[in-house]
Amino acid sequence: VEKILEGYNVSVLAYGQTGSGKTYTMFGDHGQDGIASGGEERGLIPRLIGQLMQKLQRKVQMVGCLEFGIEMSAVELYMDTVRDLLSDPINVVR
């Protein structure tokens, strides 16, 4: 998170066999309703975003008016198919 605030591009990657827990590690527990739970069940990505937002809020309070731009992408590569996890589920690139 500190490097993001210093202006560096950052990547977070999960690699492993099918069923090894990559999605759970990255995004956390999603109940039967498909909504992510909070607290200790949050994955790495929600924790990082929460921490980033807290640090940005502190900077704004300390310095005053600041402008920040944040971009994020989440992709899945499975069997030579790339899928954008933040867009329409039909949007697949081969």
Side-chain angles (χ1 to χ4, degrees):
V1 173
E2 295 300 324
K3 293 297 182 188
I4 294 171
L5 295 173
E6 293 173 12
Y8 288 91
N9 293 324
V10 176
S11 297
V12 180
L13 174 73
Y15 177 82
Q17 293 180 319
T18 299
S20 63
K22 298 175 298 295
T23 301
Y24 180 80
T25 298
M26 296 299 268
F27 295 105
D29 188 29
H30 288 75
Q32 291 181 348
D33 57 4
I35 298 173
S37 60
E40 293 299 315
E41 298 299 318
R42 293 183 306 152
L44 183 62
I45 300 299
R47 290 172 192 256
L48 290 172
I49 291 171
Q51 192 177 64
L52 178 62
M53 293 300 143
Q54 286 176 352
K55 289 182 181 274
L56 288 174
Q57 183 67 23
R58 281 191 221 121
K59 277 193 176 234
V60 168
Q61 290 172 349
M62 288 173 43
V63 178
C65 183
L66 294 175
E67 186 174 318
F68 296 96
I70 298 173
E71 294 182 29
M72 178 183 162
S73 61
V75 295
E76 172 186 68
L77 174 58
Y78 181 70
M79 295 184 69
D80 296 329
T81 301
V82 178
R83 184 169 67 110
D84 184 344
L85 298 175
L86 300 178
S87 72
D88 188 338
I90 296 173
N91 189 10
V92 174
V93 178
R94 292 183 186 257

